[in-house]
Amino acid sequence: MTFGSRTEPGRGDTTGGGLHDFVTGVRRLVTPALPKRWRPDTAVVPVVRINGVIGVASPLRPGVTLAGLARALDRAFAMRGAKAVALAINSPGGAAAQSHLIFRRIRQLAEEKNLPVIAAVEDVGASGGYMIACAADEIVADPASIVGSIGVIGATFGLDKAIEKLGIERRVYTAGENKSSLDPFLPEKPEDVARIKAIQTEIHTLFIALVKARRGDRLAGPEKTLFSGEYWTASTALGHGIVDRLGDLRSYLRERFGKDVLTPVVSPERGFLARRLMGTSQGGLAGATGFGGAHSLAEDAIAALEARAVWARYGL
């Protein structure tokens, strides 16, 4: 006695291969009618946009931060059917810690989900922007993109002589002898400069180690050039191993995953405060409602000037 189905002569196996053939046939008929995203043979590569100066700027002009990107990154790496995750980067850099935090989160998610990461640099991917690009397994850039700037910079002003001419007396009260270090209204002290340069060297060392670990044998040329803080067009950077290929994200993804590849953009969410401020200012009511007003506008103007200065460093 046997349990299960029988195969009678001429009828085939109705519970094994026959059922499989039936399901396959139905799938062939149904698949063309499905939206592309639901088709089993369609590749999906979510794209996360990373655009702007890195770090907190102001309520109206928030910079690129981990807090602002975290949900978008989580959604991209969790997207059903994703074959890879792409980063569309357009950033001149900014805060070192935020750059490193974003880099680390991308690598953590990539390893957890076992997904390759592709970075595409648009106008500029320099300094902290390039650090984030190094989270990718491949970096694609337009020939005219600006990349590199593997270094650390800090800038301020010396206004002590100006306020002296104006007859203004600067009074500072601190607990801690180094609390007023690098105060722009006080004369510069050599020990303060040595202290800040030591901090910059420490961050630069971390940056260099990160680039070496991620780019490995692809790097070419003397380290004195690669890690001098110099930046290049992507055409030149390709020879240094700073990027992997020239091109644009759409063309590369179509080449790698097929012409029907889907690239849904996963945008970082703007915070509630920024949305409200933008809404009231666009309606001309920011000052009248008290939800923003002159203080926020002044803060936003300063943030805009600072951001403009960072972009201008790369001729943009």
Side-chain angles (χ1 to χ4, degrees):
M1 179 181 291
T2 60
F3 294 90
S5 61
R6 291 185 305 162
T7 303
E8 296 184 12
R11 293 193 178 184
D13 184 353
T14 58
T15 59
L19 180 60
H20 178 269
D21 291 343
F22 174 75
V23 172
T24 302
V26 171
R27 185 176 294 160
R28 285 200 194 101
L29 290 172
V30 173
T31 296
L34 293 173
K36 281 186 178 181
R37 187 167 179 177
W38 294 356
R39 297 178 191 174
D41 58 342
T42 300
V44 178
V45 180
V47 179
V48 180
R49 295 202 63 83
I50 301 176
N51 185 32
V53 177
I54 301 166
V56 176
S58 76
L60 279 177
R61 285 183 175 270
V64 177
T65 62
L66 177 59
L69 276 175
R71 289 187 65 181
L73 291 171
D74 288 342
R75 286 164 54 205
F77 279 95
M79 192 168 291
R80 186 174 181 178
K83 302 297 184 185
V85 171
L87 312 173
I89 298 174
N90 196 9
S91 174
Q98 285 297 325
S99 303
H100 194 230
L101 287 168
I102 294 167
F103 166 88
R104 291 184 64 185
R105 179 63 60 87
I106 294 168
R107 289 312 314 155
Q108 288 165 0
L109 289 168
E111 290 164 14
E112 287 171 12
K113 303 295 184 180
N114 194 28
L115 285 175
V117 181
I118 300 158
V121 177
E122 296 179 351
D123 296 310
V124 59
S127 197
Y130 183 70
M131 179 184 284
I132 294 173
C134 284
D137 301 293
E138 297 173 83
I139 302 176
V140 181
D142 183 85
S145 298
I146 301 297
V147 292
S149 193
I150 304 167
V152 183
I153 188 172
T156 184
F157 297 94
L159 300 173
D160 53 305
K161 292 183 175 60
I163 64 172
E164 185 179 347
K165 288 182 179 178
L166 293 172
I168 300 172
E169 183 182 352
R170 172 73 163 160
R171 296 174 181 174
V172 181
Y173 309 98
T174 68
E177 59 181 329
N178 295 318
K179 190 65 179 176
S180 62
S181 177
L182 297 177
D183 187 319
F185 296 100
L186 295 175
E188 185 178 72
K189 299 178 182 178
E191 58 269 29
D192 290 349
V193 175
R195 191 178 301 110
I196 191 64
K197 287 191 74 65
I199 292 171
Q200 289 178 326
T201 299
E202 188 174 346
I203 296 171
H204 192 202
T205 300
L206 180 150
F207 196 174
I208 292 170
L210 182 152
V211 173
K212 285 183 175 180
R214 293 298 302 159
R215 302 299 297 168
D217 294 338
R218 287 174 286 187
L219 292 173
E223 291 191 6
K224 186 175 181 181
T225 300
L226 293 176
F227 306 130
S228 67
E230 184 179 350
Y231 52 87
W232 312 271
T233 64
S235 295
T236 301
L238 182 65
H240 293 316
I242 296 297
V243 301
D244 294 296
R245 61 182 293 161
L246 304 179
D248 65 275
L249 182 60
R250 181 175 181 272
S251 298
Y252 177 65
L253 293 182
R254 284 165 65 90
E255 176 188 322
R256 179 167 172 180
F257 297 101
K259 62 182 180 61
D260 292 327
V261 62
L262 295 179
T263 55
V265 176
V266 185
S267 300
E269 296 182 3
R270 190 183 293 273
F272 172 77
L273 178 60
R275 290 199 305 270
R276 280 300 304 266
L277 285 170
M278 288 297 288
T280 54
S281 64
Q282 286 171 356
L285 299 175
T289 60
F291 206 87
H295 176 72
S296 292
L297 290 175
E299 186 181 57
D300 193 47
I302 292 170
L305 289 171
E306 290 176 342
R308 181 69 262 165
V310 177
W311 285 102
R313 198 178 299 153
Y314 304 100
L316 300 168

